[in-house]
Amino acid sequence: MSILGLKKKQPKTFKVKVSTMDAEMEFSCEVKWKGKDLFDLVCRTIGLRETWFFGLRYTVKDTYAWLKPDKQVLDQEVPKDSPITFHFLAKFFPEKVEDELVQEITQHLFFLQVKKQILDEEIFCSPEASVLLASYAVQAKYGDYDPNFHKPGFLAQDELLPKRVLMQYQMTPDMWEEKITAWYAEHRNITRDEAEMEYLKIAQDLEMYGVSYFSITQNKRDTELLLGVDAQGLHIYSPNNKLSPNKSFPWSGIRNISYSEKEFTIKPLDKKKEVFKFYSSQLRVNKLILQLCIGNHDLFMRRRKVDSIEVQQMKTQAKEEKARKKVERQILAREKQMREEAERAKEEMERRMFQLQDEARMANEALLRSEETADLLAEKAQIAEEEAKLLAHKAAEAEQDRQRLEVTALKTKEEKRLMEQKMREAESLAVKLVEQSERRLKEADHLKQDLNEAKDAERRAKQKLLEITKPTYPLIAAYSSPPPPTGPESPDMTVDMGGSIRMDFKDSDMKRLSMEIERERLEYMEKSKHLQDQLKELKSEIESLKLEEQQQAGLYSLRSYAEPPYIPHSNRNSAYMAQMAFYEEV
């Protein structure tokens, strides 16, 4: 067996993974492929023709490097992993994106890369510019703003603003979304590629746009500085200030750039100006700086020359493509407008139809209501007619009642007059009776006084008689004359003893007086009874008249004259009571 047969067979291909800003691709590459072969394969795959802006970048230890086109892939310091990972990124940036970026795919790749750099804060952006850029990014992703579709919260999952801007203000995500949406609504009718181009036109004016920074030291004092390489030239910055350069060397003013080991030398085109030297600590970084300087300078010179035939063809094709797309957009806009007008007309017709249906329904309901109203009015008219008849009948009855009440009132007035006359007579009679009662009472008092005087005289006579008939004079009593009679028929006696004693006592006068008093009492009782009977009769008549009047009319009241004037019971019977007291004493 030969030694060649013992050798391990080498693989002829190797795996490569290429990540763009919006996709990942895997390729099987031949061992002998150079960097240009892999780069061309990626550009053909994604359809990119403006290849001079881009490159394949890979990571080496703590820095990065770009794949060299004229050297085999495996001979460079690429990672030995399988698959080997590369990032397809923009290596050089245009001075004016609107003039230099021709293809839409080129614009799109630049847009995605610059957007990521702004969000990662590799490019400083003010809050105002960040909100405006975010609104164009939303327009590029979602198209025209539609309030019916883009409800609040539709941007919750999108990363649109740098964290530094979010932390700088005390605003909620909803408040940021409201500010972005306000700008987003202003970008109506802007296509995706136009929105991305507007984004890049704003971003290219930012101070850190397209600048690659490297740490350097100055020649003599070892002062730490930053070197910035971009499409305009070379810039020297302070370590803590990447926005405003301390010194700048435009490509148009540089005659030569060279480095020896770690020393770089920038020779101005004007020989009178001082040569600037600086140091970079790593050889790999020095090579990268030199590559960026050469590439940016070549592009700077290329921009100032007539475009190549390839570029002219691309621009022509891009212009024709834009014109064609513009016509298509116009056609689509017209069709969209016509469709919207047709939809609006349809909606208007449907709205009108619904309106007419509502009007017809309302008219039908109104007709039904009018019919019901007419029936109700007819019923009400009938009821009103019946009520009118009833009211007329009641009016006639009321007129009859009124006439009857007038007659009753006339009768009542006449009866009232008669009753008043009877009342006046009764009052006059009562007054007379009271006067008679008082007179009789006075007479009774006089009679009582006379009777008391008579009793006193009788008592005195009896006393005298007893004195005369005492036992001390028995003989005189026995022999003089018989005793005087004691009955009612006894004659008057007059006795004179030791003087002249005389007594007059007549029973006939007492009887006569008693009989006269009894007769007057009986007469008074009869008259009083007769007067009380008349008053009761008069009161019953008044009550019957009052009840009859209330039943017939209910309009007149006889309460004021229904009862006779009230005579106190004490006054009516005062004479009678006085006589009775007198008789009881007698």
Side-chain angles (χ1 to χ4, degrees):
M1 185 178 293
S2 64
I3 297 175
L4 295 175
L6 295 174
K7 290 183 179 180
K8 189 176 181 180
K9 194 171 184 179
Q10 297 291 331
K12 294 182 180 180
T13 59
F14 60 95
K15 299 291 184 179
V16 173
K17 180 181 178 181
V18 178
S19 299
T20 64
M21 294 303 301
D22 57 353
E24 288 186 356
M25 299 170 288
E26 288 191 2
F27 302 99
S28 180
C29 303
E30 297 181 3
V31 176
K32 295 182 179 181
W33 273 15
K34 295 182 179 180
K36 186 177 183 304
D37 299 326
L38 177 59
F39 180 77
D40 291 341
L41 176 61
V42 174
C43 291
R44 286 195 304 270
T45 303
I46 63 177
L48 180 67
R49 296 179 62 184
E50 295 174 280
T51 59
W52 49 86
F53 293 109
F54 298 90
L56 292 172
R57 197 176 76 176
Y58 59 91
T59 302
V60 182
K61 294 182 180 180
D62 57 348
T63 184
Y64 65 88
W66 296 93
L67 188 66
K68 296 177 182 179
D70 55 351
K71 191 175 181 179
Q72 290 185 0
V73 176
L74 296 178
D75 290 342
Q76 302 184 43
E77 295 180 335
V78 296
K80 303 304 179 184
D81 301 333
S82 181
I84 304 173
T85 302
F86 294 96
H87 294 277
F88 188 82
L89 297 171
K91 186 177 180 180
F92 307 106
F93 287 80
E95 293 182 26
K96 294 183 179 180
V97 292
E98 191 175 13
D99 296 337
E100 297 182 45
L101 301 182
V102 180
Q103 287 185 295
E104 290 185 9
I105 180 64
T106 309
Q107 297 177 13
H108 185 62
L109 291 174
F110 267 98
F111 163 74
L112 294 176
Q113 184 170 339
V114 173
K115 176 185 172 184
K116 187 175 184 305
Q117 289 177 333
I118 291 175
L119 294 177
D120 293 343
E121 299 184 17
E122 295 178 8
I123 298 176
F124 176 82
C125 184
S126 64
E128 295 79 6
S130 298
V131 173
L132 181 58
L133 291 174
S135 66
Y136 279 112
V138 174
Q139 177 70 21
K141 182 177 181 179
Y142 294 102
D144 290 341
Y145 173 70
D146 186 358
N148 298 323
F149 180 75
H150 300 107
K151 300 294 183 180
F154 76 103
L155 298 178
Q157 303 301 323
D158 294 330
E159 185 181 4
L160 299 172
L161 297 172
K163 293 182 180 180
R164 174 184 52 79
V165 175
L166 295 175
M167 298 297 293
Q168 187 174 352
Y169 297 94
Q170 294 180 352
M171 294 176 62
T172 62
D174 294 337
M175 297 170 68
W176 283 115
E177 180 179 313
E178 184 178 355
K179 291 182 67 68
I180 294 172
T181 305
W183 283 101
Y184 167 44
E186 300 293 330
H187 304 328
R188 190 171 180 82
N189 297 327
I190 296 179
T191 61
R192 191 197 76 169
D193 57 315
E194 291 174 346
E196 292 177 350
M197 180 56 68
E198 292 298 326
Y199 188 101
L200 293 174
K201 286 165 65 175
I202 296 172
Q204 73 179 356
D205 294 332
L206 300 176
E207 286 79 0
M208 297 177 67
Y209 166 80
V211 181
S212 300
Y213 294 92
F214 302 94
S215 297
I216 61 173
T217 57
Q218 205 164 357
N219 186 15
K220 296 180 181 179
R221 292 174 289 180
D222 294 334
T223 305
E224 292 184 0
L225 298 172
L226 288 177
L227 173 68
V229 184
D230 63 2
Q232 302 292 334
L234 299 177
H235 310 281
I236 308 300
Y237 300 89
S238 299
N240 56 358
N241 184 6
K242 294 183 179 181
L243 300 178
S244 301
N246 299 333
K247 186 180 293 187
S248 296
F249 301 95
W251 296 122
S252 59
I254 298 176
R255 182 167 52 124
N256 186 18
I257 298 175
S258 61
Y259 85 96
S260 174
E261 294 182 354
K262 298 181 180 181
E263 183 183 41
F264 271 86
T265 303
I266 300 175
K267 295 181 179 180
L269 189 62
D270 188 0
K271 295 182 179 181
K272 295 180 180 180
K273 291 184 179 181
E274 182 182 359
V275 175
F276 185 79
K277 294 183 179 182
F278 60 89
Y279 288 89
S280 179
S281 58
Q282 298 181 12
L283 181 61
R284 189 182 299 108
V285 175
N286 295 338
K287 292 180 180 180
L288 179 57
I289 293 173
L290 187 61
Q291 285 181 7
L292 292 177
C293 289
I294 294 172
N296 278 296
H297 185 267
D298 290 343
L299 288 176
F300 177 80
M301 300 301 295
R302 181 177 176 176
R303 292 186 194 101
R304 282 143 183 85
K305 295 179 181 179
V306 180
D307 293 334
S308 63
I309 295 176
E310 180 183 7
V311 174
Q312 291 179 8
Q313 289 176 351
M314 282 195 301
K315 287 185 176 181
T316 303
Q317 291 175 359
K319 189 179 295 185
E320 292 174 354
E321 185 71 14
K322 287 183 179 179
R324 183 182 62 80
K325 288 185 176 180
K326 184 177 180 180
V327 172
E328 289 179 355
R329 285 199 300 271
Q330 291 176 351
I331 294 173
L332 289 174
R334 284 199 299 271
E335 292 178 354
K336 182 179 179 181
Q337 183 179 1
M338 292 174 64
R339 184 170 63 252
E340 290 177 352
E341 291 177 355
E343 290 178 354
R344 285 197 297 270
K346 180 181 177 182
E347 291 176 356
E348 180 65 22
M349 291 179 66
E350 290 178 352
R351 187 186 63 79
R352 183 60 180 166
M353 182 182 68
F354 290 147
Q355 184 179 359
L356 292 175
Q357 289 178 353
D358 291 340
E359 291 177 356
R361 179 178 56 79
M362 293 173 64
N364 191 18
E365 293 177 355
L367 179 61
L368 293 175
R369 286 197 300 271
S370 63
E371 292 177 354
E372 294 175 356
T373 305
D375 295 339
L376 184 61
L377 290 176
E379 185 178 355
K380 286 184 177 180
Q382 185 177 359
I383 294 172
E385 185 177 357
E386 293 177 357
E387 289 179 351
K389 292 180 180 179
L390 182 61
L391 289 174
H393 181 66
K394 287 184 177 181
E397 291 180 352
E399 180 63 22
Q400 294 177 0
D401 292 341
R402 186 185 65 78
Q403 294 176 359
R404 186 169 59 252
L405 289 173
E406 288 181 354
V407 174
T408 304
L410 294 175
K411 291 181 179 179
T412 304
K413 288 180 179 179
E414 183 64 22
E415 291 175 354
K416 181 181 177 182
R417 186 180 62 76
L418 294 175
M419 290 299 298
E420 288 178 351
Q421 185 177 357
K422 289 181 179 182
M423 288 290 295
R424 286 193 296 272
E425 293 175 356
E427 289 177 358
S428 176
L429 181 59
V431 171
K432 290 179 180 180
L433 288 175
V434 171
E435 292 177 352
Q436 290 179 4
S437 176
E438 292 178 353
R439 188 173 63 254
R440 292 294 182 180
L441 182 60
K442 291 180 180 179
E443 292 177 356
D445 289 339
H446 290 301
L447 289 174
K448 186 178 179 181
Q449 185 177 3
D450 294 339
L451 184 59
N452 290 331
E453 291 178 357
K455 283 182 178 182
D456 291 338
E458 182 181 3
R459 190 172 56 254
R460 286 192 304 270
K462 285 180 180 181
Q463 186 70 27
K464 295 291 184 181
L465 182 60
L466 289 175
E467 292 178 356
I468 294 171
T469 58
K470 282 183 179 181
T472 53
Y473 303 102
L475 293 179
I476 297 174
Y479 294 107
S480 62
S481 63
T486 58
E489 294 181 356
S490 58
D492 297 336
M493 294 180 65
T494 303
V495 179
D496 295 328
M497 297 178 67
S500 72
I501 299 173
R502 186 176 180 179
M503 178 181 68
D504 294 330
F505 186 76
K506 293 180 180 180
D507 289 338
S508 58
D509 294 336
M510 291 294 296
K511 288 182 180 179
R512 184 179 51 80
L513 180 60
S514 298
M515 290 177 64
E516 186 178 353
I517 291 171
E518 182 66 19
R519 187 179 62 254
E520 290 180 356
R521 185 181 66 83
L522 291 176
E523 289 177 358
Y524 176 76
M525 289 178 66
E526 288 177 0
K527 289 181 181 181
S528 177
K529 184 178 180 181
H530 180 67
L531 179 61
Q532 288 181 0
D533 292 339
Q534 287 182 351
L535 289 174
K536 287 181 180 179
E537 183 180 358
L538 181 61
K539 185 176 181 181
S540 62
E541 288 179 2
I542 292 173
E543 292 292 335
S544 62
L545 288 173
K546 182 178 179 181
L547 180 62
E548 182 181 358
E549 183 180 1
Q550 288 179 354
Q551 290 178 352
Q552 289 180 357
L555 299 175
Y556 298 97
S557 175
L558 301 177
R559 187 172 184 86
S560 60
Y561 51 85
E563 297 179 357
Y566 178 74
I567 302 173
H569 187 267
S570 60
N571 292 335
R572 286 203 305 263
N573 298 327
S574 59
Y576 173 71
M577 294 299 292
Q579 291 178 4
M580 292 299 295
F582 171 75
Y583 292 135
E584 287 176 359
E585 291 180 0
V586 174

